[in-house]
Every structure is written in C-alpha cells, then in structure tokens.
Amino acid sequence: MTDPFEAAGSLRTAYRRVDWAATPLGPTQTWSPALLGALDLVLNTRFAATLFWGPSYTLLYNEAYVPLIGDKHPHALGATTASVFPEIWDTIGPMLDTVFAGDGAVWFEDLHLLLERHGFAEETYFTYSYSAVHGAGGAIEGAIDIVTETTTQVLGRRRLELLSRLNDQLAGVEAVAELVDRALPVLRSHPADLLDVDLLLTGADAPAGLGKDVLVERTPADGTRVWVRLGDAVLSARLSPHLLADAAYLGFVRLVGSALAQGLDRARARQAERRVSTTQRELAEALQRSLLVPPAQPEHLQVAVRYQPAAEGAQIGGDWYDSFQLPDGRLTVVVGDVTGHDRFAAAAMSQIRNLLRGISYTVARVPSTVLTALDAAMTGFGVDVFATAVLAQFEQDDGQVARNVRTMRWSNAGHPPPLLLSPDGTVQVLERRGEPLLGTRSKPLRCDHTVEVGPGATVVFYTDGLVERRGRHLDDGLRDLTALLRGQAHLDAEQICDLLLDHFLGATEDDVVLTVLHVRA
C-alpha cells in the first residue's frame, strides 16, 4: 500500500503522528478506496478543502485549510468534527447530517460563524459547499468541503457601507454641534465594529498616553478600547470582542477618525469642502482596493493588474478584476463592470465577484457555462444590477506544454473585447458576436471562443473607462487602444499597464480596471 499522506506537504509529519488505529477511521491499511481517493483529491488541491468521514465525521484536511482553523491544528487531524468545532456544531452539524442522509449537497455564501481558533470567539465568514462522497455500491461514506474564507471581504463591505453613510452625513455639515448630532447616531448604529462610541470635542478626557495618532488600551473590565486623535478632539470607542485588533481593524478605525477630523475641519472652516471631498474619495478607494486581491501568478505567465478611480468625484464604482487557478490548473481571468457609481454598485460588485469565484471553482466548466450559472445565481440571490464581464480560461494540453503555448477560451457578457498583442507586434481585437449583459434575466445562450497564445504574446483585458469618452464613440477609443499597443510586444505585463494608464489616464471619466496577461518567452 502506498503512503496515503505522501501529498500532504507540510502536514505529512502531522498526519503520520496521528494514531489512526485509535480514531473512528481505524488503521490506514483498512481505509476504503473511496476514502483514499477523496483524501488524495484533497491533499493535491491548493484550495482549502477538508473531509468529514464516517458516522463520527472524522476530520482530514490539506495545508490550505490550516489557516482557516488556527490553533485547532494539529489536534483536529483525525478528531471528530463535533469535538473540534463545538462552538459551531449547532450550525454545521445539521448541514452534515443532511448530506450524509442523501439529501444532496449544501452551499452557503458568506456564512457567519463565531469560530474559536485564536483563543476567543472570532467573527468569521465562509463560502463553502458540503458534497457527499460515495463508496462502493453508492453508499455515502463521507463529505468533502471546498471552502474559502470571506471574512476580509464581508468586513470590508460592512465598513465601506459605514464610511459611506458617515461621509453622507458629514457632507453638508456647517457647525460642530451639527457634526456631533449627525455622526454619533451613525457610529453607534455599528456595534459589530464599534461600541460605546463618543466624541470628546476638547480632548481633555483623553488618556495621557494619546499622542497624535491612535492609542489602544486593553483592560479586563473594558476590553479593548481605542482612542483616535482628531486634531484637538478625540474619538473613543471599544472594539469588538469577536475580532482581532489587527492592522486592518485599526486601519478602519483610522479611516473613521480621518473622516471625522475632516468633518470637524469643514465645520470650523468652510474652505475645507474640497479637502473633505478628496478625503472621501481616498477612503472609498482604499476600501474598494481592499476588496480586490492580488492576481494568481502561474509558472511561465505574468499577470499585472491596475485599479484606477475616476479623475473626478468621490463616488465609488463597480469595476473589478480577478485571477485565480482552478483545481485542474487552468488559470481564470475575469474583468467586469457593475452599472452605477455608488456604494451599492461596489457592494454588488463584491457579491458578483464572490459568486463567480465559487461557481468557477465548484462547477469547473467552460466560461459560457460559468457565466450562465452566474446569471442564475444573481437572480436567485436578488443581486438586481446589470453587469458586463469577460471570463477567460487559459489551458494546456500535453502537446502545448512542450511548446509553452496555451489555449485561451473565453466568453463575453456585453464587455469591451480583449486585445491580443502577438510577438510580432500585431494586435488582434478578440471581438465576436455580441452577447447580453449579466442580470438581464433573459437566459441567453452564451458561447465560448478560443485562440492560441504562445511565448511572447500578451492579452489585454480592461473596462470601458479606459477608452470611453464623452462625445466619442466607443469604437474610436478601441481604435486608439489598438494603435497604441501595436509594436509593443517587447514590453512585459507591468509595462503594458503603465503604458496604457500613462496614455489614457488624464482624460478618463470613469473608473478603470486593467488586467494584462503576458506569456513569458
């Protein structure tokens, strides 16, 4: 019998230390083919995955799953799920019972769980699916969990909404008393992040240790309290006992403090109106960027991304990019644009992006099928917006690997077409028959298209803000973009991004997203 833990990577030693004979699974020599096959699948994927096996729901998982459970590892290996997750068993136990009963898979998006993984009940969110694993004769032997933690995205959206509401209330403030009356109800309506909020206008009651920035105090009676200097005023609040006071949390508090400080400046000096508007834009952009993660960088490929807000205004938008690998190694690249320029567009963008990620990974089908499923999910979850998107997958068969070429397979839902810059400097507009936007509920028949990309080739994805100008047809901007790229095959992905932004940025009237993929020679 081969070693079932050979693919466990850094967990290999932890797996081998478990006395499996003392677990409900028994010695590894007695494990069923279904268990061995499922474990091999889990250990060979880089996406977080775990198995719940047998009547006791015994846990087995891969390296990517470890950060999700924190200090529950390594004792969670080979332990029963109920003993590892007693704090959330009332939630996940019935879900597993449903799967093991043969009632089908379960799927949840951004499920809230108070998880004890760092010594306290931590507010966490996960998007995941429990699916049955069948053994010989069709009997259900276990369940597989494909999971991604969305805590950062959920908290980012929540905090973005608070900042947007706060800035809406501060926008027309003309007096300090009015600012207090408007700001405190907003801040006190957000106990998930801020508790016992107060504004001390003179700062006389602030602790002596508060300098010019932020002071964090931890006491057994009061928990974690934060003090933020607002010029000659002070913001005071307790932080949530269910969240780590990490850099992201304190950064959010600083953003709140910055908004309040700017509002106070405006109340005291009406000339600060332009400065407040600039700050609003910076705060919104900072949280907008926090929802966009760095792109995947597979071997032999370079992926560069840019997000650039519109040159004017303090509104946030729904432009996004994404890049990730599927379990079979295919690289997925997405660029999309939700209609509208407000916090609702940004929130919808985040929902659509997360849905698309989950569907792409779970369905693992061609782009047209993924976009069709995304359309259905948007309808089912009430994401009532229109959006454009181009979804591309880069794949290789055995013959292409030796030549370092790939097939780009894509489907386009009403989005500006990608451009292919060939090694000889020629540019091809990858424009095919137009297809409807996402969110129309028309159930269109979507199509896939293919093109081969080889060493030195570059594919450019973008949103319409790059080329669309008031008073000019979109085709004119597309011709300008094509002309600019022509003859630039010597540039890598980062340099192409810089070239395009340097050329178009001064005249942009909308948010711009760029994703450039370059096949290294």
Side-chain angles (χ1 to χ4, degrees):
M1 175 184 177
T2 59
D3 183 357
F5 310 131
E6 184 61 33
S10 64
L11 300 187
R12 193 179 300 118
T13 300
Y15 264 100
R16 290 171 177 168
R17 285 176 177 170
V18 176
D19 182 6
W20 293 103
T23 72
L25 300 184
T28 57
Q29 295 87 347
T30 66
W31 289 5
S32 68
L35 172 53
L36 294 172
L39 179 60
D40 183 68
L41 175 65
V42 165
L43 296 182
N44 280 284
T45 180
R46 287 186 287 180
F47 208 80
T50 187
L51 293 176
F52 307 99
W53 209 262
S56 299
Y57 304 151
T58 304
L59 279 168
L60 305 97
Y61 47 85
N62 62 5
E63 290 177 288
Y65 190 75
V66 172
L68 277 58
I69 61 174
D71 54 21
K72 291 180 182 292
H73 175 77
H75 72 268
L77 271 179
T80 62
T81 303
S83 67
V84 174
F85 298 106
E87 71 276 17
I88 59 172
W89 182 244
D90 287 345
T91 300
I92 67 173
M95 299 174 188
L96 287 169
D97 293 340
T98 296
V99 175
F100 273 74
D103 294 333
V106 297
W107 184 81
F108 294 91
E109 180 187 13
D110 297 336
L111 183 68
H112 175 220
L113 297 172
L114 281 178
L115 189 61
E116 293 185 7
R117 58 179 180 178
H118 295 119
F120 67 99
E122 182 179 353
E123 179 185 2
T124 61
Y125 297 86
F126 297 91
T127 293
Y128 63 92
S129 175
Y130 290 164
S131 304
V133 180
H134 297 267
I140 296 175
E141 293 189 17
I144 186 170
D145 173 21
I146 304 297
V147 58
T148 181
E149 181 169 359
T150 58
T151 304
T152 299
Q153 290 76 19
V154 172
L155 297 184
R157 292 196 302 268
R158 185 171 80 197
R159 292 163 181 173
L160 175 63
E161 181 181 6
L162 172 71
L163 283 167
S164 298
R165 289 174 54 213
L166 179 61
N167 284 316
D168 286 345
Q169 290 297 315
L170 298 183
V173 166
E174 297 293 335
V176 172
E178 182 186 4
L179 181 142
V180 174
D181 290 341
R182 289 192 177 193
L184 282 182
V186 174
L187 298 175
R188 289 171 177 172
S189 70
H190 200 72
D193 283 307
L194 301 172
L195 300 93
D196 299 339
V197 183
D198 202 3
L199 282 172
L200 312 176
L201 295 179
T202 65
D205 296 327
L210 177 61
K212 296 182 178 181
D213 187 22
V214 175
L215 174 66
V216 178
E217 290 186 329
R218 296 176 176 85
T219 63
D222 203 25
T224 302
R225 178 169 288 276
V226 63
W227 307 80
V228 184
R229 177 70 68 184
L230 314 173
D232 58 358
V234 173
L235 168 68
S236 170
R238 282 196 303 116
L239 300 185
S240 169
H242 300 300
L243 290 171
L244 286 170
D246 56 14
Y249 198 170
L250 295 180
F252 160 68
V253 174
R254 285 186 174 94
L255 291 174
V256 172
S258 180
L260 291 170
Q262 293 295 332
L264 287 168
D265 285 345
R266 179 177 177 176
R268 290 173 177 139
R270 298 180 58 167
Q271 296 86 343
E273 182 175 354
R274 181 178 299 176
R275 185 165 67 251
V276 171
S277 177
T278 300
T279 300
Q280 288 175 336
R281 179 60 190 178
E282 291 174 351
L283 301 182
E285 181 189 341
L287 282 180
Q288 177 91 352
R289 291 181 188 277
S290 73
L291 299 176
L292 301 175
V293 299
Q297 299 287 353
E299 189 176 9
H300 303 305
L301 296 178
Q302 178 194 23
V303 182
V305 294
R306 297 289 189 277
Y307 166 71
Q308 185 62 46
E312 296 181 359
Q315 293 288 323
I316 53 178
D319 294 27
W320 90 93
Y321 60 77
D322 207 354
S323 171
F324 52 91
Q325 285 188 279
L326 299 178
D328 58 8
R330 284 179 294 165
L331 174 68
T332 294
V333 173
V334 187
V335 168
D337 186 2
V338 174
T339 56
H341 293 84
D342 53 27
R343 64 179 181 269
F344 302 107
M349 174 272 286
S350 181
Q351 286 181 283
I352 294 173
R353 175 186 169 277
N354 287 337
L355 283 172
L356 184 55
R357 272 200 159 209
I359 291 170
S360 294
Y361 197 92
T362 304
V363 174
R365 300 290 294 278
V366 295
S368 62
T369 303
V370 174
L371 289 180
T372 298
L374 175 61
D375 241 336
M378 289 172 62
T379 300
F381 287 104
V383 185
D384 295 325
V385 296
F386 296 114
T388 68
V390 58
L391 170 63
Q393 295 173 351
F394 293 84
E395 56 195 58
Q396 283 184 306
D397 59 29
D398 292 339
Q400 290 176 315
V401 171
R403 296 185 293 127
N404 191 26
V405 298
R406 290 163 176 78
T407 295
M408 170 180 153
R409 190 182 307 275
W410 81 96
S411 187
N412 192 328
H415 198 80
L419 273 66
L420 173 61
L421 172 59
S422 298
D424 63 1
T426 59
V427 179
Q428 179 182 356
V429 180
L430 301 180
E431 191 163 23
R432 302 293 186 267
R433 178 178 64 87
E435 297 182 7
L437 285 69
L438 299 166
T440 62
R441 304 191 179 187
S442 60
K443 299 183 179 179
L445 179 62
R446 300 195 181 276
C447 301
D448 292 294
H449 317 284
T450 61
V451 66
E452 191 172 82
V453 292
T458 300
V459 186
V460 177
F461 304 86
Y462 55 97
T463 53
D464 57 5
L466 183 69
V467 295
E468 191 173 42
R469 300 293 179 270
R470 188 181 294 116
R472 294 192 72 200
H473 196 276
L474 185 61
D475 288 346
D476 296 330
L478 187 55
R479 280 191 290 271
D480 291 345
L481 176 58
T482 302
L484 179 62
L485 286 172
R486 193 174 294 122
Q488 304 294 342
H490 60 286
L491 300 180
D492 66 15
E494 295 289 346
Q495 292 169 328
I496 289 290
C497 284
D498 292 339
L499 172 72
L500 299 183
L501 289 183
D502 288 345
H503 181 83
F504 288 104
L505 190 56
T508 56
E509 301 168 351
D510 195 0
D511 291 0
V512 173
V513 156
L514 277 175
T515 297
V516 177
L517 180 142
H518 177 71
V519 182
R520 301 182 189 275

